[in-house]
Amino acid sequence: MLQIKPILSMLLRSKSSPLLLLLQIILSVAIVANASFIIHERLALMDRDSGVVEQEVFDFTMYSFDPSVDLVQQQHKDLQLIRDLPGVKSATFSSMTPLSGGGWSSSFTIGTSEEDERSAPNSAMYYGDEQMVDTLGVKLIEGRNLRPEEILPTFTDSGVKGIVSKAFADQAFPDESAVGKVIYNGNLGEEAIEIIGVVERLQGAWVNSDNLEYSVIIGVELTNAFMRYLVRAEEGTFTRLKEQIPEVLHKDQKNRVIQNFTTLTEHRTSVYRDHELMASVLSLMVVLLLLITSLGLTGMVMFNIERRTKQIGTRRALGATKRDVVSLFLVENYIICLVGGVVGGLLAIALGQQLMQHYDLPQLEWQYPLATIVGLVIVTTLAVVFPATKAAKISPAIATRSV
Amino acid sequence: MFFYYLDLACRSIKKTPFLSVLMVLAISIGIGITITTLNIYKMASVNPAGERSDKLFAVQLWSQGEDSWDEFNPQITYQDSFNLRRGDIPVRQTPMFRTGGAIQTDNPDLAPILEGVRVTDSDFFSLFSVPFLYGQAWDKSVDQQAKYEVVINADLNQQLFGGENSVGRTLYINRKPYKVVGVVDHWSPKPKYYDVNNGAFNDSEQVFVPFSLTPIEEYQSWGNNQGWKHEDTRTVAAKIVSEQHWLQYWVELKDQHDVELYTAWVRSYIEQQQAPGRFNSPNADVQIMDVADWLIENQVVAEDNKVLVGLSALFLVVCLVNMLGLLLAKFLKRAPEVGVRRAIGASRAQIFSQHMVEVGLIGFCGGIIGLLWAWGALSLLAAKFELEQALTSLDMSMWLVAPTIAISAALVAGIYPAWRVCSTNPSIYLKSQ
């Protein structure tokens, strides 16, 4: 029924136009497969959960420029003032904000003696007080939270308590509970942090880092001239609070600049902006490429069919049904499409390997070329059916008149 | 003859509107995508130092111990920058870092403004060719004998002093009075090549203060600080004597000879420092790079951009193959007409050039429309992703680049179809007329 042999010989005899179609399909498959793979990979990155209740949390910075102010006392007062505002659920000072692209990190030392001394993975350091866990909204899955009296005014060699993310705990202390263990912020024995709890998930600030999931909350007070605060408030109160907080704090002490109120949602958008940009541009490219390829296919097929009107008429006169004519063109183009698809798929993998070698991109997965070929088959069908049906409608008498 | 062909081309395009629109669309989209990515790439990789690019050098030192970082850090330590300042080979040189503070004036109605401040030597301004609106840099003697003097950028001058000549006026940084000695005329190179580690596309600082004030005022670093060993660096006093890397260092050297002299001089400095136990790695050395290399080394152009340019070039190729097919279809359909023209005396060369003119015209239209696509795409990207203006404004050169690429690409695609049609044998077509 599908006369592949005559179609093949027909294709082989007409030189240029099927070849051009083939070339176009090969290139399209190679580009679309790689582009959609990159898109998928970026979207997967952006989809990761930070562990934080992002819609309720915002941060701001404060710069105190009056040297006569007692920063420690002022900070206690400030935090109380913020926490007393209506709508605020909890608040803390912090060394950094998740997903903000900037912050503190350190590789902690672990071990009990020089023999088993090793480095824990480089992880984000969240200095904060007993409200840090609630402010971020991270879920404590083991151990307990920090208590107010456990927040120390400065880092000392012992007595500091901390909470780590599960990813950190699993990496630093595989096969055993991290609670009760000690990590050192320095050489062995220096600036010990006793782990008292583990949270399910807490990301750091650098979304392109392999160590994004490793975080440590440290119960040590920070009182610098330049400070960052994290606030968790009911949804919808942000616009009011960003006016109210500076007002209340300035009333208490005016020699400081309070600014940069940013929600975590905004931080997320800006930190993933490059990835979103890449994914958008590539999506646009894929859509346009498919559009161009299908338009080109349609144009070529229309031309081919028009040129072969007499042939169609002859076939019809010799007893071919309209369906036969349409399927003839479909099969012809499927052959081109599949050959192009396979070659294009191989090219896509080769191109993917080049990209992987030269740029920091992961290996292309085989599903992407395959999906592209399937997409192309659909596009081909659409591009062929319309002109072929039209051509098959021509009466054999007209089509063969001048033969 | 050219205009006659142009006229023929217009008629031919009108005769097959669907195919022609398809071709123009294909090439314009290809050009649009290519120009968009090329523009972003070009804007990101522009070398703002211009012709001084090969005279300005960033200095890096391998001062880390063994078994720590395995490459040069882009920044150096305070003690090294302090010592390098003594060198007399460079024409100009300056250490620098970013700090910040609350800015106030004598006007009590003005709320304090938090601004980034660059701490640097007087050479900074001539080294990077900073233009002055009023006044000038502080005197060279201030680099040794610290004085509370400040240079501000025009935007801040507008904000603080209403844009008037503010030289001689006083402003307060963290409540300390500084005398304004100069106002910079809107200067903000993109990329910010003198400090690419702390936001390569950020605006320049609005305030510049003398480096010699650092130990007195204990400016906090507002940039990246990297240490390779555990040290207490919580106070500026401790940081100044530490091994932390947090300053940028630039020198201006007038020729290759001086580059070698300077490198040798820094190496001898490294040897001196090895006596008290610093620079104890076997790799201890100096590396100096001019602006162009510096931008590449610090990957100011994101890899994503390169991938995009590559993919869009391939995209353009697809568009061309597409166009080639369509042109072939269109021209061959016209073979009978060409047969008649050939029979009444047109040479092959004439037929060929007639068709090439038509292809060129299609390419030109595609190029112009492609530019419009690119302009639209760039504005859309700028609005949606709040990209820096510097990256998304359509570069003037693109007005030339786009039609050139479009026409030459179209001509390349047109060669085969035009050759096919001019090599047809007229007798075949004449027979069936």
Side-chain angles (χ1 to χ4, degrees):
Chain A
M1 172 216 145
L2 299 173
Q3 309 106 321
I4 293 190
K5 219 182 138 209
I7 293 176
L8 265 181
S9 76
M10 207 157 63
L11 277 176
L12 289 176
R13 277 198 347 190
S14 57
K15 287 166 291 183
S16 46
S17 68
L19 209 68
L20 285 174
L21 261 180
L22 197 68
L23 191 59
Q24 195 176 341
I25 289 172
I26 289 173
L27 285 172
S28 302
V29 171
I31 300 176
V32 171
N34 273 293
S36 44
F37 176 63
I38 299 176
I39 295 171
H40 177 83
E41 185 225 349
R42 297 302 162 96
L43 292 182
L45 278 183
M46 290 163 64
D47 211 33
R48 290 173 302 180
D49 177 19
S50 65
V52 180
V53 210
E54 289 172 29
Q55 66 279 11
E56 293 188 0
V57 182
F58 64 87
D59 71 340
F60 67 91
T61 58
M62 181 195 294
Y63 188 73
S64 315
F65 51 87
D66 188 345
S68 65
V69 170
D70 178 348
L71 292 174
V72 182
Q73 261 185 8
Q74 189 62 45
Q75 182 167 85
H76 289 167
K77 230 156 114 191
D78 289 345
L79 277 172
Q80 203 48 53
L81 286 170
I82 298 170
R83 286 166 185 166
D84 287 346
L85 285 172
V88 173
K89 288 183 177 172
S90 54
T92 174
F93 61 86
S94 176
S95 52
M96 58 185 278
T97 307
L99 304 184
S100 63
W104 297 12
S105 74
S106 177
S107 298
F108 298 95
T109 313
I110 38 184
T112 46
S113 62
E114 296 227 341
E115 285 101 63
D116 67 345
E117 176 185 343
R118 59 194 194 278
S119 266
N122 195 284
S123 66
M125 297 163 84
Y126 289 92
Y127 284 68
D129 66 14
E130 72 283 358
Q131 293 209 359
M132 181 58 106
V133 167
D134 288 336
T135 305
L136 293 172
V138 286
K139 205 167 123 203
L140 207 59
I141 52 169
E142 208 184 323
R144 62 176 179 84
N145 196 353
L146 291 161
R147 299 193 182 111
E149 68 274 13
E150 287 170 344
I151 311 301
L152 300 187
T154 53
F155 229 119
T156 47
D157 276 349
S158 66
V160 175
K161 305 258 190 297
I163 295 172
V164 299
S165 67
K166 185 168 183 302
F168 179 90
D170 290 347
Q171 183 68 29
F173 304 102
D175 316 318
E176 49 184 338
S177 166
V179 174
K181 297 283 187 309
V182 173
I183 56 179
Y184 299 97
N185 180 34
N187 298 326
L188 205 63
E190 290 173 6
E191 305 198 343
I193 304 166
E194 185 199 337
I195 299 174
I196 58 163
V198 177
V199 293
E200 191 178 24
R201 194 179 192 105
L202 173 56
Q203 292 188 334
W206 306 272
V207 294
N208 296 326
S209 157
D210 293 336
N211 294 355
L212 178 63
E213 302 291 338
Y214 304 141
S215 305
V216 179
I217 298 174
I218 300 167
V220 171
E221 235 171 287
L222 277 184
T223 42
N224 296 329
F226 191 83
M227 280 303 304
R228 182 182 301 279
Y229 291 86
L230 287 174
V231 181
R232 180 176 172 190
E234 283 158 25
E235 274 184 77
T237 53
F238 175 66
T239 15
R240 172 172 58 83
L241 286 173
K242 87 174 176 192
E243 304 295 328
Q244 232 168 5
I245 290 175
E247 202 179 300
V248 173
L249 297 185
H250 272 143
K251 214 185 311 172
D252 193 60
Q253 155 62 250
K254 74 174 189 357
N255 282 332
R256 45 200 183 172
V257 185
I258 298 163
Q259 59 184 25
N260 297 331
F261 283 83
T262 317
T263 63
L264 265 232
T265 323
E266 286 166 337
H267 276 303
R268 169 177 281 274
T269 314
S270 81
V271 84
Y272 280 114
R273 184 164 289 145
D274 286 350
H275 293 314
E276 207 192 337
L277 179 68
M278 184 78 169
S280 310
V281 173
L282 285 179
S283 312
L284 189 75
M285 222 186 242
V286 167
V287 170
L288 289 176
L289 193 66
L290 288 178
L291 185 80
I292 296 241
T293 308
S294 54
L295 282 178
L297 262 171
T298 319
M300 299 276 281
V301 169
M302 272 169 82
F303 165 70
N304 266 332
I305 291 173
E306 218 169 290
R307 215 175 46 161
R308 276 152 56 184
T309 319
K310 283 179 194 169
Q311 192 195 27
I312 295 169
T314 318
R315 277 177 174 271
R316 293 272 284 121
L318 290 176
T321 62
K322 288 181 187 174
R323 261 192 60 199
D324 286 340
V325 173
V326 175
S327 75
L328 168 80
F329 283 107
L330 272 180
V331 171
E332 186 182 306
N333 283 291
Y334 282 154
I335 291 176
I336 297 178
C337 189
L338 285 180
V339 174
V342 171
V343 179
L346 294 176
L347 191 67
I349 290 169
L351 183 67
Q353 250 152 15
Q354 287 293 312
L355 286 178
M356 188 183 64
Q357 257 171 32
H358 292 296
Y359 306 108
D360 205 12
L361 290 178
Q363 168 95 50
L364 177 74
E365 286 163 25
W366 59 270
Q367 290 95 331
Y368 288 87
L370 196 71
T372 315
I373 296 172
V374 172
L376 266 175
V377 168
I378 296 170
V379 168
T380 311
T381 313
L382 291 177
V384 168
V385 166
F386 171 68
T389 322
K390 205 174 129 195
K393 275 194 194 132
I394 304 173
S395 147
I398 297 174
T400 53
R401 194 181 282 164
S402 68
V403 168
Chain B
M1 223 41 185
F2 177 74
F3 290 101
Y4 174 60
Y5 289 153
L6 214 56
D7 180 47
L8 278 185
C10 288
R11 283 160 194 259
S12 154
I13 287 172
K14 271 186 213 145
K15 225 186 279 175
T16 49
F18 178 68
L19 270 184
S20 307
V21 167
L22 217 60
M23 279 188 277
V24 171
L25 202 68
I27 197 159
S28 72
I29 291 178
I31 290 290
I33 289 273
T34 310
I35 294 294
T36 306
T37 55
L38 210 59
N39 194 69
I40 295 185
Y41 180 83
K42 185 163 186 274
M43 292 310 222
S45 58
V46 73
N47 183 340
E51 57 197 21
R52 281 171 62 77
S53 166
D54 57 351
K55 300 248 180 331
L56 308 184
F57 298 87
V59 180
Q60 292 168 275
L61 291 173
W62 192 296
S63 65
Q64 60 266 37
E66 277 182 90
D67 303 325
S68 57
W69 304 330
D70 52 5
E71 55 184 2
F72 280 99
N73 192 280
Q75 305 186 103
I76 65 172
T77 63
Y78 182 87
Q79 39 179 332
D80 287 327
S81 69
F82 194 79
N83 295 332
L84 286 184
R85 277 169 97 210
R86 295 202 198 110
D88 55 3
I89 298 167
V91 185
R92 302 184 178 96
Q93 57 186 333
T94 181
M96 58 177 148
F97 64 96
R98 184 178 153 83
T99 179
I103 314 288
Q104 288 170 296
T105 61
D106 290 322
N107 179 356
D109 298 334
L110 209 71
I113 310 166
L114 194 64
E115 278 292 348
V117 173
R118 184 143 296 266
V119 185
T120 186
D121 272 343
S122 60
D123 271 355
F124 176 91
F125 303 96
S126 41
L127 189 77
F128 295 108
S129 318
V130 183
F132 275 89
L133 194 60
Y134 305 116
Q136 61 207 9
W138 52 83
D139 192 75
K140 227 173 158 41
S141 64
V142 177
D143 294 336
Q144 304 304 327
Q145 280 298 316
K147 258 191 196 165
Y148 287 84
E149 292 187 336
V150 64
V151 168
I152 58 176
N153 218 334
D155 290 335
L156 187 67
N157 189 47
Q158 185 68 39
Q159 233 176 325
L160 297 179
F161 303 110
E164 63 184 68
N165 185 348
S166 58
V167 172
R169 305 272 295 263
T170 304
L171 64 76
Y172 299 85
I173 304 176
N174 297 339
R175 296 162 60 94
K176 267 273 171 54
Y178 288 70
K179 194 175 100 188
V180 178
V181 293
V183 178
V184 168
D185 189 5
H186 300 281
W187 180 74
S188 188
K190 297 282 163 64
K192 187 176 166 184
Y193 63 109
Y194 61 82
D195 184 6
V196 288
N197 300 294
N198 304 306
F201 288 95
N202 286 354
D203 285 328
S204 280
E205 290 78 13
Q206 293 285 324
V207 184
F208 302 85
V209 298
F211 184 75
S212 47
L213 283 171
T214 312
I216 307 166
E217 275 300 299
E218 305 208 330
Y219 299 120
Q220 298 281 340
S221 160
W222 278 24
N224 277 318
N225 304 281
Q226 287 144 317
W228 47 272
K229 65 177 192 183
H230 190 73
E231 279 175 296
D232 182 15
T233 53
R234 267 170 281 188
T235 65
V236 176
K239 199 166 172 158
I240 279 175
V241 295
S242 76
E243 288 290 344
Q244 274 220 343
H245 290 235
W246 53 294
L247 294 101
Q248 303 87 46
Y249 201 92
W250 284 86
V251 292
E252 179 182 343
L253 299 168
K254 61 177 184 297
D255 52 30
Q256 192 55 39
H257 179 66
D258 273 12
V259 169
E260 280 155 26
L261 272 182
Y262 188 65
T263 311
W265 181 80
V266 181
R267 287 207 176 113
S268 72
Y269 162 72
I270 292 174
E271 266 168 46
Q272 282 170 27
Q273 290 289 311
Q274 278 165 342
R278 294 187 67 227
F279 289 91
N280 55 14
S281 157
N283 295 324
D285 200 0
V286 57
Q287 174 169 293
I288 67 173
M289 263 188 215
D290 71 7
V291 179
D293 290 340
W294 184 244
L295 293 177
I296 295 169
E297 167 81 6
N298 289 284
Q299 298 193 336
V300 170
V301 180
E303 284 185 346
D304 276 2
N305 283 346
K306 295 182 194 163
V307 175
L308 278 181
V309 171
L311 282 179
S312 54
L314 275 179
F315 188 106
L316 187 63
V317 172
V318 174
C319 292
L320 289 184
V321 172
N322 195 335
M323 186 173 165
L324 212 164
L326 294 175
L327 277 176
L328 201 62
K330 184 176 161 156
F331 286 177
L332 287 184
K333 211 160 98 181
R334 225 170 35 196
E337 190 192 315
V338 172
V340 177
R341 274 174 59 78
R342 289 269 286 125
I344 56 180
S347 72
R348 281 191 180 180
Q350 281 171 327
I351 300 289
F352 185 79
S353 40
Q354 177 204 336
H355 285 91
M356 288 310 268
V357 168
E358 183 173 341
V359 172
L361 184 67
I362 292 173
F364 179 73
C365 295
I368 297 297
I369 299 176
L371 255 184
L372 293 179
W373 287 124
W375 179 74
L378 285 172
S379 321
L380 208 73
L381 290 179
K384 184 156 181 233
F385 295 101
E386 299 165 20
L387 289 181
E388 281 80 5
Q389 190 71 32
L391 288 182
T392 52
S393 57
L394 195 60
D395 191 57
M396 283 317 283
S397 65
M398 293 300 163
W399 288 98
L400 206 69
V401 172
T404 314
I405 299 183
I407 294 176
S408 33
L411 289 181
V412 168
I415 292 176
Y416 177 67
W419 176 77
R420 272 290 295 272
V421 74
C422 76
S423 62
T424 49
N425 187 351
S427 61
I428 299 175
Y429 296 103
L430 291 176
K431 230 188 283 173
S432 63
Q433 290 289 316

